[in-house]
Amino acid sequence: MNIGIDIEEVKRFAKYVKDKDYLERIFAKEEISYSILRKNAVQHLAARFAAKEAVWKALSTKNKKLIITDISIQNTKNGKPQVYIKNKQYKKIEVSLSHTKKYVAAVAIAF
Ligand SMILES: CC(C)(COP(=O)(O)OP(=O)(O)OC[C@H]1O[C@@H](n2cnc3c(N)ncnc32)[C@H](O)[C@@H]1OP(=O)(O)O)[C@@H](O)C(=O)NCCC(=O)NCCS
């Protein structure tokens, strides 16, 4: 079992919300569409970034070739975040996200 954690400042991501090039370089299209339609779009994007880093930390010893942009987060109908690697659901990991106005955090546990 492995664990990964990340915390990010929301304001770091504010300038990227309307930067299509940046968004498409860092986030999957599902992450962009999930986030930008919501009231707190920046928080959702920042949380996804934190989740990618947490997942990377949890999996980096197992998969040394993994890069941040291989990882994406998609939510179930109930809102639960799930991890995708190269667009395929990766079930041997659990991730949890939380956000406030200033900070977002994510924790990942890989089995
Ligand atoms: C889902 C819930 C736990 C989110 O908690 P919150 O404090 O409002 O918000 P947080 O910032 O900590 O967490 C938000 C993240 O929770 C995650 N989340 C949402 N639904 C989830 C679920 N069913 N299971 C696991 N994680 C969930 C999402 O990743 C979300 O971030 P995202 O939309 O960017 O993906 C909360 O809104 C909720 O519905 N609680 C249960 C209802 C309840 O008992 N309410 C009464 C409380 S007194």
Side-chain angles (χ1 to χ4, degrees):
M1 198 167 81
N2 256 310
I3 191 164
I5 186 168
D6 191 55
I7 182 166
E8 298 288 338
E9 273 193 90
V10 174
K11 70 177 179 194
R12 181 185 154 198
F13 295 85
K15 62 176 180 278
Y16 296 127
V17 179
K18 286 178 184 156
D19 183 341
K20 196 166 171 277
D21 288 345
Y22 172 85
L23 290 179
E24 289 178 353
R25 198 165 60 244
I26 304 297
F27 297 98
K29 62 179 188 310
E30 293 83 3
E31 296 178 304
I32 298 170
S33 57
Y34 179 90
S35 302
I36 58 171
L37 296 176
R38 287 179 155 74
K39 194 175 129 211
N40 299 315
V42 186
Q43 289 181 30
H44 291 285
L45 285 170
R48 268 141 197 78
F49 189 89
K52 289 173 197 284
E53 300 240 293
V55 168
W56 187 89
K57 288 175 185 176
L59 294 178
S60 62
T61 50
K62 269 190 196 168
N63 184 349
K64 299 211 184 305
K65 289 183 179 164
L66 188 68
I67 58 171
I68 293 289
T69 48
D70 289 337
I71 302 161
S72 66
I73 305 299
Q74 295 183 34
N75 298 62
T76 65
K77 279 182 191 154
N78 294 331
K80 185 181 186 315
Q82 296 186 311
V83 174
Y84 285 67
I85 309 268
K86 294 186 175 167
N87 279 326
K88 193 166 174 253
Q89 191 178 358
Y90 186 75
K91 293 189 176 173
K92 290 191 209 160
I93 196 163
E94 290 289 338
V95 68
S96 186
L97 279 53
S98 188
H99 18 105
T100 67
K101 274 186 191 165
K102 286 189 176 172
Y103 299 101
V104 295
V107 171
I109 296 178
F111 304 99

